[in-house]
Amino acid sequence: MKALVVFFCLSLAMRYSTCVPKQRRTFPEDFIFGVSTASYQIEGAWNLDGKGENIWDYLTHNHVEAIADLSNGDIAADSYHNYLRDVEMLRELGVNAYRFSLSWSRILPTGFANYINKAAIDYYNNLINELLKYNIKPVVTLYHWDLPQKLQELGGFGNPLIADWFEDYARVAFQYFGDRVKFWITINEPKEICLDGYGSTAKAPMLNESGIGEYICAKNLIIAHAKAYHAYSNDFKATQGGVCGITFSVSSAQPLTSSEEDAIALEIHNQGEWAIYSDPIYSKEGGFPKEFSERIALKSLQQGYPRSRLPAYTEEEKDFVRGTSDFFGVNHYSGSLVSAVTSNNFVVPSFNDDVGVSYYTPEEWPRSVSSWLTQMPNSLNITLTRLRDRYDNPEIYITENGWSTYQGLNDDTRVNYMRAAWESALDALDAGINLKGYMAWSLMDNFEWREGYSERFGLYEVDFEDPARTRTPRKSAFVYKQLISTREVDHDYDPDYQSIMTINDS
Ligand SMILES: C[C@H]1O[C@@H](Oc2ccc([N+](=O)[O-])cc2)[C@H](O)[C@@H](O)[C@H]1O
């Protein structure tokens, strides 16, 4: 009988594909599913209960025109007052992890560890305890771009002393929260901090020290990370038993053609975009990647600089930094095709001129409302494969992945993007990539840096006109809930999804 059914199915398979059972692929039982946010983007309460000023407070208040919709994060999603609702949303989704960041200037209003603000400790304790009540793992980022303004006035990541200041701050966090927080991320996205904030005007502090500032930052920042990592592993890990790592933004890039020139262009792009930050930690050699370093050294000499604009790591610094991460955190969003053919119209000196490649995104790739974010086919798997090959299959967590839309609850483009990302993550798992978790950006709409509230990344929409900052689930929230509960990518959804966003704690 069984044989007959199989024969019947096979004979009809060509015409009626539904007759052939679909291959069911599931995420592993112990896979971490979470969502991410960041302090300045959601908390608000910019000057309440003793919080100090940070670089985004300073920028948005003193250069209003720098933000697309002239807005700021003074209130944002007001998570300082709405954290109980935030945790309720996490329970509606069914996630087992919540990645959020601590506000350095809320905890240490002067930037230094001479004075600890008790109200800030209370706020984060309340949030952490509420998460743990529902078995939601706190994944805590120490630094997500909101440097205390006082430290910026002393040079910020341009000053090598930032490494000491950051270690002191990290120790306070480990000491007050490490009994319950077991997953630490020191720094979010070195590239965006250094290139956007020091090498250009894309983000605060908008220093625009092109071709120099981003490289000084790149070294100081990674040493700061390493100091915090060593503080944790020497003085806290044995008693607290957690892990500590760092998160990079890694886009997906492929060569435009099969030419050798484009293969070289791709490697230089990878080195400049993320490996100048990650090689010092994860490569066997340590220090900055060789080809990119040589390229900047040569260009610097040609431009009349007596030494390279890229400061070198000493052998002692290489040893200090190498191996300082228990996992590889990846923020992955977009992709492009890289080619060696360039217009050579770059500012000199600049990172773009140093990398010297051009980028192309085919018309048919879906576009979000953010200029930098397109949906490249299979992009997550391409990125994860590259990291596996470069760093000998490290433990990887996707700490951000998401899509922007305009205001509104119907977010089919986000649903399409996320389903494609999850299929791509399953491809990576099938290929033996050591992927341990996925955190969607973002739990809710928030202040999207220089784009203000004009670009929305939330699984939950936030009504920024409403003083209560009401949150409402979008279609994508339901689809993510479905993924988490079945661990399978389902391509249907219930049109009545709003009524199904209920809490079902296990
Ligand atoms: C939307 C989130 O973006 C994260 O930052 C970026 C920015 C740019 C790229 N890129 O590929 O060009 C990737 C990630 C950021 O960490 C988060 O706060 C959000 O703003």
Side-chain angles (χ1 to χ4, degrees):
M1 181 62 186
K2 203 172 159 194
L4 232 154
V5 171
V6 170
F7 173 76
F8 179 71
C9 275
L10 284 177
S11 62
L12 293 180
M14 300 285 279
R15 290 175 62 192
Y16 303 104
S17 58
T18 49
C19 197
V20 179
K22 264 202 235 149
Q23 201 197 352
R24 294 166 73 95
R25 301 197 301 170
T26 55
F27 284 91
E29 291 276 1
D30 60 352
F31 199 78
I32 288 187
F33 286 112
V35 283
S36 292
T37 60
S39 45
Y40 185 76
Q41 295 181 275
I42 64 160
E43 281 179 9
W46 82 276
N47 60 354
L48 290 190
D49 297 342
K51 179 181 160 292
E53 188 184 36
N54 67 41
I55 56 176
W56 281 93
D57 296 321
Y58 181 85
L59 177 70
T60 55
H61 296 161
N62 294 285
H63 299 278
V64 179
E65 72 293 345
I67 310 302
D69 58 3
L70 312 181
S71 67
N72 56 50
D74 287 3
I75 302 176
D78 202 12
S79 285
Y80 191 71
H81 297 109
N82 288 319
Y83 73 93
L84 289 176
R85 170 67 182 133
D86 293 349
V87 177
E88 203 173 74
M89 283 142 54
L90 299 168
R91 293 164 62 207
E92 287 171 1
L93 288 168
V95 292
N96 52 17
Y98 178 43
R99 174 178 178 236
F100 61 96
S101 76
L102 305 179
S103 159
W104 186 338
S105 68
R106 193 180 294 288
I107 295 175
L108 304 178
T110 66
F112 297 105
N114 61 320
Y115 167 71
I116 297 168
N117 179 18
K118 182 166 179 312
I121 302 293
D122 290 347
Y123 170 64
Y124 292 117
N125 271 337
N126 289 339
L127 172 59
I128 291 165
N129 292 341
E130 188 70 8
L131 292 171
L132 293 178
K133 209 196 282 184
Y134 300 107
N135 288 322
I136 300 168
K137 183 197 272 274
V139 173
V140 176
T141 309
L142 291 171
Y143 183 68
H144 198 126
W145 305 0
D146 45 358
L147 195 73
Q149 177 62 20
K150 290 216 163 104
L151 301 187
Q152 192 60 56
E153 281 157 18
L154 296 169
F157 286 95
N159 185 336
L161 287 174
I162 191 75
D164 293 338
W165 307 333
F166 186 63
E167 179 191 335
D168 295 344
Y169 161 57
R171 281 180 180 277
V172 170
F174 300 149
Q175 187 187 333
Y176 281 88
F177 308 123
D179 56 333
R180 287 151 297 145
V181 173
K182 305 297 170 191
F183 197 124
W184 293 100
I185 295 171
T186 55
I187 293 176
N188 180 68
E189 295 186 354
K191 176 195 140 199
E192 277 67 20
I193 295 168
C194 294
L195 187 59
D196 293 356
Y198 291 70
S200 74
T201 59
K203 304 251 159 47
M206 293 177 65
L207 291 192
N208 208 18
E209 298 291 353
S210 172
I212 295 172
E214 60 270 58
Y215 300 134
I216 295 172
C217 171
K219 185 177 163 192
N220 291 341
L221 179 148
I222 292 299
I223 299 215
H225 151 79
K227 281 208 147 194
Y229 179 88
H230 285 302
Y232 188 71
S233 50
N234 293 337
D235 298 334
F236 296 92
K237 195 176 173 108
T239 50
Q240 299 184 347
V243 292
C244 182
I246 179 168
T247 274
F248 308 88
S249 73
V250 185
S251 69
S252 189
Q254 291 285 64
L256 180 64
T257 70
S258 55
S259 70
E260 201 188 332
E261 290 78 12
D262 286 358
I264 293 169
L266 174 65
E267 176 58 21
I268 291 296
H269 156 80
N270 289 336
Q271 293 189 12
E273 189 196 67
W274 46 272
I276 57 165
Y277 308 101
S278 53
D279 269 14
I281 300 172
Y282 299 92
S283 77
K284 291 192 181 63
E285 301 75 26
F288 288 127
K290 186 167 173 288
E291 292 80 7
F292 193 59
S293 304
E294 288 172 356
R295 203 177 167 100
I296 301 179
L298 180 63
K299 277 187 175 275
S300 300
L301 289 180
Q302 289 167 345
Q303 291 157 358
Y305 294 88
R307 64 181 74 228
S308 176
R309 288 178 277 106
L310 183 70
Y313 278 83
T314 64
E315 289 307 313
E316 200 185 339
E317 287 168 338
K318 282 184 191 170
D319 291 343
F320 184 73
V321 167
R322 192 187 294 113
T324 56
S325 191
D326 298 330
F327 56 85
F328 196 109
V330 183
N331 291 351
H332 175 74
Y333 289 87
S334 195
S336 58
L337 302 177
V338 176
S339 121
V341 183
T342 64
S343 64
N344 275 337
N345 277 338
F346 300 120
V347 170
V348 175
S350 71
F351 171 80
N352 287 339
D353 181 60
D354 291 337
V355 176
V357 304
S358 46
Y359 299 95
Y360 170 70
T361 49
E363 274 304 309
E364 60 272 23
W365 293 2
R367 282 166 158 73
S368 72
V369 305
S370 306
S371 58
W372 52 273
L373 176 46
T374 55
Q375 185 180 335
M376 178 188 198
N378 204 23
S379 82
L380 196 48
N381 189 22
I382 293 168
T383 292
L384 297 175
T385 304
R386 191 149 287 136
L387 297 175
R388 176 197 64 187
D389 295 348
R390 194 173 186 99
Y391 300 129
D392 200 15
N393 208 6
E395 195 164 282
I396 299 179
Y397 289 87
I398 295 159
T399 44
E400 284 180 28
N401 175 247
W403 185 256
S404 57
T405 59
Y406 294 118
Q407 190 180 347
L409 290 178
N410 188 334
D411 62 345
D412 283 325
T413 54
R414 178 175 293 110
V415 169
N416 293 341
Y417 174 89
M418 292 180 77
R419 282 178 173 152
W422 301 331
E423 294 283 8
S424 199
L426 284 167
D427 289 345
L429 284 164
D430 284 348
I433 287 167
N434 203 359
L435 178 64
K436 296 293 187 188
Y438 173 94
M439 292 165 233
W441 184 273
S442 176
L443 172 61
M444 66 193 127
D445 289 342
N446 53 59
F447 178 80
E448 179 49 28
W449 311 113
R450 290 202 55 190
E451 305 312 322
Y453 301 100
S454 64
E455 297 180 1
R456 305 296 184 96
F457 277 88
L459 300 179
Y460 282 72
E461 174 161 84
V462 176
D463 182 352
F464 293 105
E465 304 296 312
D466 173 5
R469 298 298 193 267
T470 309
R471 288 111 155 94
T472 310
R474 292 197 168 104
K475 211 182 265 186
S476 55
F478 174 71
V479 172
Y480 193 32
K481 180 185 172 86
Q482 228 177 3
L483 173 85
I484 296 166
S485 68
T486 61
R487 289 184 294 111
E488 276 178 32
V489 184
D490 192 333
H491 286 266
D492 301 318
Y493 70 87
D494 193 319
D496 188 24
Y497 67 93
Q498 288 284 355
S499 69
I500 303 169
M501 288 305 296
T502 51
I503 293 171
N504 183 20
D505 290 328
S506 50

